[in-house]
Amino acid sequence: MKKREIMSSKFFDSRCRASFPDKKEKVLGYLLGPIGGQLLYFLVSTWLNVFYTDVLGLTDINPDFLFYFPLLSGILVVITNLLIGYLIDHTRTKQGKARPYIFLSIITLPLSGILLFLIPEGNEILEYCLICLSFNFFFSFSFAIYNSAYNLLTPLSSRNSKVRNSLSTLANLGMMIAQAVGSLFPTLIYPYIGTNKTLWFYAMAGISLLCLPFVLLQYYFTRERVSEETMGSVMEAEDPKIPLKKQLSAVCHDRYWWVLILYTFVFQFGLAMKNSSVAYYCNWVIGSSYNDGYTMLLFNIVGGLSLGVGALVIGPLSKKFSKQKLMAVGFIFYSLGSALCWVISFPGWFNISKNAILAVVLVGQIIKNAGAIPCVYIWMSMVADVLDHIEYKTGFRCDGITVSINTIFALFMPILGNAIVNKVLSGFGYQTPASGATSQNTSLLIALDTCAVGIEAITSIIVVILMLFLNVEKNLPMEQAAIQERQKEKVLASGCIYVSPEEKAQKEDEEFEKEKEASDLAAIKMRCDKKGLDYEEAKAKYFDKKTKKEGKAK
């Protein structure tokens, strides 16, 4: 096959040679690599609609277009994402099944980002066509390919759970760095480009091209070790695949699964409404003036400080309280923080300065994001608990169908949010800055206030109610023990030797430590040979340091 032959060239080989992810792979591939793509997506998802309304003035030209166009595009985004997932799953190359699509993204991601803002003037039909094509090229094809492959890199990097946890943490940290850098846009770039379409193009083209070196790092400094296990060998017989119809029947008859789905729908809807309207909220409702350069920066950075603290406190809290209780209490604070922002910035209710309103809003955002700590750090663990529960009941896992449906909501809701906010803008008479507007009518300000912070105050209460029914942890130890016993019986019945998950994990950790030690000693030997140092002395220092570190860990 041509694709297999092309990807077999040494030019495409990973620069990672170790049998486990080393420091170079962790830093370059998983910490720095994702920053480019995630930065571009963060800025596009936050500011593209502002470009459409304030720069292109589409709310004045055709108000309905910005409602129906993203809505219809959202359906295409969902379909193509499912197809891309299927395509990746059936790809077999020397470089794996996900990394080839990362390599493709080196070109498609920057190109699609540039085309989003390359919209000509003078021909209305051509303008609309290019908006539709560039939007779907980015969301339905380019970012869909990149994001699907990116999400598989960590699971395919190793079978060792310790390694995966480490890489997942680094990847999430890379994404947070990207969002923190993106939060500087309203301060460092937006005030200077204003509503000038040419300057917008140059600014976003530069950011799009910035993706290229980062995606290159992500491709060359990652490796699919799990995919490599079957390369050049005959696949062993697999268990029969569970039909989709049977999986759907299993999950639809489980109440905990429905809580998961309803939570995803409600939470993602509130989040989408906030993200789609927050730029307008900061510009017109709480900002001292349009595009003041600091309101949105403070809203994102100061409000998000509590999430950083969450990484330190969630561990001790999760040991003391159940995940269900943490989620419920967390979303009470989430609602209270959102409600405080909603009330204090509600137009006409308080006769105080914009700066005073902003100060209270920032306090509300800190409270809200403190409440978001459980859903950021432990929600996926609750999803895993429900999947274990379903496996206990049915005898098979339904991970794929569950993740697919959750992904549909996560992808479609932001586009739905844009469509609704655009309908609000046109319905309440939004005046663009290009037309000379310096303020908006009170009805629109109330609507923006509700979209940006009010809706999440309501959806959070719904989530609290849903959490009351998610007591899956109560019987989980018994259910997991039953699953393990069932697996043991199956293995013994086949005449094989059963190895418990604990024994397997311990063996993997021991092998990992041996490989790491061998790799470290090889690096020390190379450094000593290069600098003329005493290898035995350096080796003794290495083991002394390692012994002290192990002693502290105990």
Side-chain angles (χ1 to χ4, degrees):
M1 186 179 177
K2 293 293 183 184
K3 181 169 65 174
R4 185 188 297 270
E5 293 172 3
I6 293 173
M7 298 305 294
S8 296
S9 168
K10 289 185 177 180
F11 174 79
F12 296 101
D13 285 354
S14 171
R15 301 306 185 256
C16 302
R17 300 287 184 252
S19 57
F20 62 93
D22 55 14
K23 185 180 293 185
K24 179 174 65 175
E25 182 174 351
K26 289 178 179 179
V27 173
L28 298 180
Y30 288 89
L31 178 62
L32 298 180
I35 289 177
Q38 295 299 328
L39 172 62
L40 179 61
Y41 180 72
F42 176 77
L43 291 175
V44 166
S45 60
T46 305
W47 293 97
L48 181 61
N49 203 66
V50 176
F51 175 73
Y52 287 157
T53 59
D54 292 7
V55 181
L56 300 183
L58 295 181
T59 46
D60 293 334
I61 301 171
N62 191 339
D64 290 333
F65 174 74
L66 284 181
F67 174 72
Y68 293 107
F69 140 66
L71 202 58
L72 294 174
S73 296
I75 298 172
L76 182 61
V77 166
V78 171
I79 295 172
T80 54
N81 269 271
L82 294 175
L83 291 175
I84 289 166
Y86 176 85
L87 182 64
I88 291 176
D89 200 40
H90 288 75
T91 296
R92 299 289 184 272
T93 74
K94 180 185 175 184
Q95 310 307 330
K97 63 181 182 179
R99 289 180 63 251
Y101 296 95
I102 295 289
F103 188 84
L104 178 62
S105 299
I106 294 170
I107 302 300
T108 59
L109 201 56
L111 178 61
S112 62
I114 292 170
L115 292 177
L116 282 172
F117 299 90
L118 186 61
I119 307 298
E121 292 179 314
N123 188 322
E124 190 173 300
I125 295 177
L126 179 61
E127 183 179 5
Y128 286 155
C129 288
L130 288 178
I131 288 172
C132 293
L133 289 173
S134 62
F135 184 93
N136 283 290
F137 180 41
F138 182 86
F139 287 100
S140 301
F141 179 77
S142 177
F143 189 77
I145 286 177
Y146 170 77
N147 198 49
S148 297
Y150 162 69
N151 286 328
L152 281 172
L153 290 179
T154 297
L156 295 173
S157 64
S158 170
R159 289 196 182 276
N160 187 285
S161 58
K162 181 189 288 186
V163 172
R164 288 180 174 179
N165 289 341
S166 172
L167 297 181
S168 178
T169 300
L170 287 170
N172 285 331
L173 181 57
M175 184 172 65
M176 291 178 66
I177 292 172
Q179 292 179 356
V181 173
S183 297
L184 299 175
F185 180 86
T187 300
L188 301 181
I189 299 176
Y190 192 30
Y192 301 100
I193 61 177
T195 58
N196 187 306
K197 191 172 76 169
T198 302
L199 294 180
W200 267 83
F201 169 74
Y202 286 128
M204 297 309 294
I207 293 169
S208 298
L209 290 172
L210 191 63
C211 284
L212 201 152
F214 285 98
V215 183
L216 270 171
L217 284 176
Q218 196 170 17
Y219 174 77
Y220 279 112
F221 290 95
T222 52
R223 183 176 169 187
E224 295 183 34
R225 294 170 182 82
V226 174
S227 300
E228 291 172 7
E229 293 174 357
T230 58
M231 290 179 185
S233 63
V234 179
M235 294 285 290
E236 293 184 359
E238 298 180 351
D239 291 333
K241 292 184 177 181
I242 306 300
L244 179 61
K245 183 178 180 181
K246 190 173 181 180
Q247 291 187 54
L248 280 171
S249 176
V251 297
C252 288
H253 284 84
D254 187 83
R255 68 185 180 95
Y256 294 135
W257 186 85
W258 278 110
V259 174
L260 292 185
I261 299 303
L262 289 173
Y263 163 84
T264 304
F265 176 86
V266 172
F267 177 71
Q268 289 291 343
F269 177 73
L271 188 65
M273 293 302 297
K274 188 266 286 185
N275 288 340
S276 298
S277 58
V278 67
Y280 302 98
Y281 174 74
C282 291
N283 277 334
W284 301 107
V285 181
I286 62 173
S288 59
S289 61
Y290 179 83
N291 190 10
D292 60 22
Y294 66 86
T295 299
M296 193 166 178
L297 173 67
L298 293 174
F299 186 88
N300 288 329
I301 298 295
V302 176
L305 289 176
S306 46
L307 280 177
V309 178
L312 302 176
V313 303
I314 192 62
L317 287 175
S318 60
K319 291 178 182 178
K320 190 173 183 180
F321 303 102
S322 69
K323 292 189 281 283
Q324 179 194 22
K325 184 174 291 185
L326 287 174
M327 287 287 291
V329 173
F331 272 98
I332 290 174
F333 281 97
Y334 198 105
S335 180
L336 290 174
S338 298
L340 176 60
C341 297
W342 188 15
V343 170
I344 194 65
S345 60
F346 199 91
W349 279 16
F350 295 93
N351 188 24
I352 56 178
S353 69
K354 285 285 186 79
N355 285 336
I357 290 174
L358 176 60
V360 179
V361 166
L362 293 179
V363 172
Q365 285 298 297
I366 291 174
I367 296 171
K368 171 201 159 182
N369 286 319
I373 290 171
C375 75
V376 170
Y377 292 102
I378 66 172
W379 172 247
M380 287 310 298
S381 178
M382 293 197 77
V383 173
D385 292 347
V386 173
L387 292 173
D388 283 352
H389 168 73
I390 295 174
E391 182 183 6
Y392 164 76
K393 285 177 56 181
T394 63
F396 55 85
R397 294 189 70 83
C398 299
D399 304 49
I401 187 65
T402 302
V403 171
S404 294
I405 294 176
N406 276 276
T407 301
I408 287 174
F409 287 133
L411 292 170
F412 183 73
M413 284 300 176
I415 296 174
L416 175 63
N418 273 341
I420 294 174
V421 169
N422 286 328
K423 195 67 174 177
V424 167
L425 293 175
S426 61
F428 285 93
Y430 179 68
Q431 300 296 312
T432 64
S435 66
T438 56
S439 62
Q440 303 293 335
N441 65 74
T442 303
S443 297
L444 177 57
L445 294 178
I446 292 172
L448 291 174
D449 181 49
T450 302
C451 288
V453 289
I455 289 178
E456 284 197 304
I458 299 169
T459 56
S460 301
I461 294 299
I462 299 174
V463 170
V464 172
I465 295 171
L466 288 172
M467 288 302 108
L468 299 178
F469 299 95
L470 195 56
N471 59 338
V472 67
E473 299 167 84
K474 182 174 62 175
N475 298 317
L476 193 63
M478 179 272 293
E479 293 175 351
Q480 289 176 332
I483 292 171
Q484 188 170 329
E485 186 62 29
R486 193 157 52 202
Q487 292 172 343
K488 180 179 179 180
E489 291 174 358
K490 185 177 179 181
V491 171
L492 294 176
S494 66
C496 299
I497 299 174
Y498 175 74
V499 180
S500 70
E502 293 79 12
E503 293 172 324
K504 185 178 180 181
Q506 183 180 354
K507 185 178 179 181
E508 286 180 353
D509 288 342
E510 289 173 355
E511 290 175 352
F512 171 75
E513 291 300 332
K514 287 180 181 178
E515 291 176 353
K516 185 177 184 302
E517 182 180 298
S519 177
D520 290 344
L521 291 175
I524 291 171
K525 181 73 165 61
M526 187 181 298
R527 186 175 71 249
C528 290
D529 291 344
K530 185 177 180 180
K531 297 183 177 181
L533 302 175
D534 186 339
Y535 171 65
E536 292 301 325
E537 183 181 345
K539 181 179 175 182
K541 288 181 179 179
Y542 168 79
F543 280 114
D544 184 55
K545 184 178 179 181
K546 184 178 180 182
T547 302
K548 289 180 180 179
K549 186 176 180 181
E550 289 173 350
K552 288 181 180 180
K554 291 178 182 180

